[in-house]
Coordinates of all heavy atoms in Angstrom, one line a residue:
A1 N -1.3 -6.2 -0.9 CA -1.2 -4.9 -0.3 C -2.0 -4.7 1.0 O -1.7 -3.8 1.7 CB -1.7 -3.8 -1.4
A2 N -2.9 -5.6 1.2 CA -3.7 -5.5 2.5 C -3.0 -6.1 3.7 O -3.5 -6.0 4.8 CB -5.1 -6.1 2.3
G3 N -1.9 -6.7 3.5 CA -1.1 -7.3 4.6 C -0.4 -6.3 5.4 O -0.2 -5.2 5.0
Q4 N 0.0 -6.7 6.6 CA 0.6 -5.8 7.6 C 1.9 -5.2 7.1 O 2.1 -4.0 7.2 CB 0.8 -6.5 8.9 CG 1.3 -5.6 10.0 CD 1.3 -6.4 11.3 OE1 1.4 -7.6 11.3 NE2 1.4 -5.6 12.4
V5 N 2.8 -6.0 6.5 CA 4.1 -5.4 6.0 C 3.9 -4.5 4.8 O 4.5 -3.4 4.7 CB 5.0 -6.6 5.7 CG1 6.3 -6.1 5.0 CG2 5.4 -7.4 6.9
A6 N 3.0 -4.9 3.9 CA 2.7 -4.1 2.7 C 2.1 -2.8 3.1 O 2.4 -1.7 2.5 CB 1.8 -4.8 1.8
R7 N 1.3 -2.7 4.2 CA 0.7 -1.5 4.6 C 1.7 -0.5 5.1 O 1.7 0.7 4.9 CB -0.4 -1.7 5.7 CG -1.7 -2.3 5.1 CD -2.7 -2.5 6.2 NE -3.8 -3.2 5.8 CZ -5.1 -2.9 6.1 NH1 -5.3 -1.9 7.0 NH2 -6.1 -3.6 5.7
L8 N 2.7 -1.1 5.9 CA 3.8 -0.3 6.4 C 4.6 0.3 5.2 O 5.0 1.5 5.2 CB 4.7 -1.1 7.4 CG 4.0 -1.5 8.7 CD1 5.0 -2.4 9.4 CD2 3.7 -0.2 9.5
L9 N 4.9 -0.6 4.3 CA 5.7 -0.2 3.1 C 5.0 0.9 2.3 O 5.6 1.9 1.9 CB 6.0 -1.3 2.2 CG 6.7 -1.0 0.9 CD1 8.1 -0.5 1.1 CD2 6.7 -2.3 0.0
T10 N 3.7 0.8 2.1 CA 2.9 1.8 1.4 C 2.9 3.1 2.1 O 3.2 4.1 1.5 CB 1.4 1.3 1.3 OG1 1.4 0.1 0.6 CG2 0.5 2.3 0.7
D11 N 2.8 3.1 3.4 CA 2.8 4.4 4.2 C 4.2 5.1 4.0 O 4.3 6.3 3.8 CB 2.5 4.2 5.7 CG 1.0 3.8 5.9 OD1 0.2 4.1 5.0 OD2 0.8 3.2 6.9
D12 N 5.3 4.3 4.1 CA 6.6 4.8 4.0 C 6.9 5.4 2.6 O 7.4 6.5 2.5 CB 7.7 3.7 4.3 CG 7.8 3.5 5.8 OD1 7.3 4.3 6.6 OD2 8.4 2.5 6.2
L13 N 6.4 4.6 1.6 CA 6.7 5.1 0.2 C 5.9 6.4 -0.1 O 6.4 7.3 -0.7 CB 6.3 4.0 -0.8 CG 7.2 2.9 -0.9 CD1 6.6 1.8 -1.8 CD2 8.6 3.3 -1.4
L14 N 4.7 6.5 0.5 CA 3.9 7.7 0.3 C 4.5 8.9 1.0 O 4.4 10.0 0.5 CB 2.4 7.5 0.7 CG 1.6 6.6 -0.2 CD1 0.3 6.3 0.4 CD2 1.4 7.2 -1.6
D15 N 5.0 8.7 2.2 CA 5.6 9.7 3.0 C 7.0 10.2 2.4 O 7.3 11.4 2.5 CB 5.8 9.3 4.4 CG 4.5 9.2 5.2 OD1 3.4 9.7 4.7 OD2 4.5 8.5 6.2
Q16 N 7.8 9.3 1.9 CA 9.2 9.6 1.6 C 9.5 9.7 0.1 O 10.6 10.0 -0.2 CB 10.0 8.5 2.2 CG 9.9 8.4 3.7 CD 10.7 7.3 4.3 OE1 11.6 6.7 3.7 NE2 10.4 6.9 5.5
T17 N 8.5 9.4 -0.7 CA 8.8 9.5 -2.2 C 7.7 10.2 -2.9 O 6.7 10.5 -2.3 CB 9.0 8.1 -2.8 OG1 7.7 7.4 -2.8 CG2 10.0 7.2 -2.0
D18 N 7.8 10.3 -4.2 CA 6.7 10.8 -5.0 C 6.3 9.8 -6.0 O 5.7 10.0 -7.0 CB 7.1 12.1 -5.7 CG 8.3 11.9 -6.7 OD1 8.9 10.9 -6.6 OD2 8.5 12.8 -7.5
F19 N 6.6 8.5 -5.7 CA 6.2 7.4 -6.6 C 4.7 7.2 -6.6 O 3.9 7.6 -5.7 CB 6.7 6.0 -6.0 CG 8.2 5.9 -6.0 CD1 8.8 5.0 -5.2 CD2 9.0 6.8 -6.7 CE1 10.2 4.9 -5.1 CE2 10.4 6.7 -6.7 CZ 11.0 5.7 -5.9
Q20 N 4.2 6.7 -7.8 CA 2.8 6.3 -7.9 C 2.8 4.8 -7.5 O 3.6 4.0 -7.9 CB 2.4 6.5 -9.4 CG 2.3 7.9 -9.8 CD 1.8 8.1 -11.2 OE1 2.0 7.2 -12.0 NE2 1.2 9.2 -11.5
L21 N 1.7 4.4 -6.8 CA 1.6 3.1 -6.3 C 0.4 2.4 -6.9 O -0.7 3.0 -7.0 CB 1.5 3.0 -4.8 CG 2.7 3.7 -4.0 CD1 2.4 3.6 -2.5 CD2 4.0 3.1 -4.4
V22 N 0.5 1.1 -7.2 CA -0.6 0.2 -7.5 C -0.7 -0.8 -6.4 O 0.3 -1.6 -6.3 CB -0.4 -0.4 -8.9 CG1 -1.6 -1.4 -9.2 CG2 -0.2 0.6 -10.0
L23 N -1.8 -0.8 -5.7 CA -1.9 -1.8 -4.6 C -2.8 -2.9 -5.1 O -4.0 -2.7 -5.5 CB -2.6 -1.1 -3.4 CG -1.8 0.2 -2.9 CD1 -2.5 0.7 -1.7 CD2 -0.4 -0.2 -2.6
Y24 N -2.3 -4.1 -5.1 CA -3.0 -5.3 -5.6 C -3.2 -6.3 -4.5 O -2.3 -6.6 -3.7 CB -2.2 -5.9 -6.7 CG -2.8 -7.1 -7.4 CD1 -3.6 -7.0 -8.4 CD2 -2.5 -8.4 -6.9 CE1 -4.2 -8.1 -9.0 CE2 -3.1 -9.5 -7.4 CZ -3.9 -9.4 -8.5 OH -4.5 -10.5 -9.1
G25 N -4.4 -6.8 -4.4 CA -4.7 -7.8 -3.5 C -6.2 -8.1 -3.4 O -7.0 -7.5 -4.0
R26 N -6.5 -9.0 -2.5 CA -7.9 -9.4 -2.3 C -8.7 -8.3 -1.6 O -8.3 -7.9 -0.5 CB -8.0 -10.7 -1.5 CG -9.4 -11.4 -1.5 CD -9.4 -12.6 -0.8 NE -9.1 -12.3 0.6 CZ -8.8 -13.3 1.5 NH1 -8.7 -14.5 1.2 NH2 -8.5 -12.9 2.7
N27 N -9.8 -7.8 -2.3 CA -10.7 -6.8 -1.7 C -10.0 -5.5 -1.3 O -10.4 -4.9 -0.3 CB -11.4 -7.4 -0.5 CG -12.3 -8.6 -0.9 OD1 -12.9 -8.6 -2.0 ND2 -12.4 -9.6 0.0
V28 N -8.9 -5.1 -1.9 CA -8.2 -3.9 -1.5 C -9.1 -2.7 -1.8 O -8.9 -1.7 -1.0 CB -6.8 -3.7 -2.2 CG1 -5.9 -4.8 -1.8 CG2 -6.9 -3.7 -3.7
S29 N -10.0 -2.7 -2.7 CA -10.8 -1.5 -2.9 C -11.7 -1.2 -1.7 O -12.0 0.0 -1.5 CB -11.6 -1.7 -4.2 OG -12.5 -2.7 -4.1
T30 N -12.0 -2.2 -0.9 CA -12.8 -1.9 0.3 C -11.9 -1.9 1.5 O -12.1 -1.0 2.4 CB -13.9 -3.0 0.5 OG1 -13.3 -4.3 0.5 CG2 -14.9 -3.0 -0.6
R31 N -10.9 -2.7 1.6 CA -10.0 -2.8 2.7 C -9.0 -1.6 2.8 O -8.6 -1.2 3.9 CB -9.2 -4.1 2.7 CG -10.1 -5.3 2.9 CD -9.4 -6.6 2.6 NE -8.5 -6.9 3.7 CZ -7.7 -8.0 3.7 NH1 -7.6 -8.7 2.6 NH2 -6.9 -8.2 4.7
L32 N -8.7 -1.0 1.7 CA -7.7 0.1 1.7 C -8.3 1.4 1.0 O -7.6 2.2 0.4 CB -6.4 -0.3 0.9 CG -5.7 -1.5 1.6 CD1 -4.5 -1.8 0.7 CD2 -5.2 -1.2 3.0

C-alpha cells in the first residue's frame, strides 16, 4: 500500500466509493 500505484488507487477508492480499506505493507502505520 505504500507504493506509488497503490497510493493512487487508495485515493480513488476513498473518493469514489464507500468501501472499507485495509492497507498492508512495510511500515504503513508510519508511512500512511
Side-chain angles (χ1 to χ4, degrees):
Q4 188 174 18
V5 172
R7 286 181 189 219
L8 293 172
L9 175 63
T10 299
D11 290 339
D12 284 347
L13 288 173
L14 289 172
D15 290 343
Q16 298 176 20
T17 69
D18 61 348
F19 297 160
Q20 293 180 332
L21 304 179
V22 177
L23 305 181
Y24 179 90
R26 190 178 64 191
N27 300 323
V28 293
S29 63
T30 55
R31 296 168 73 184
L32 299 177

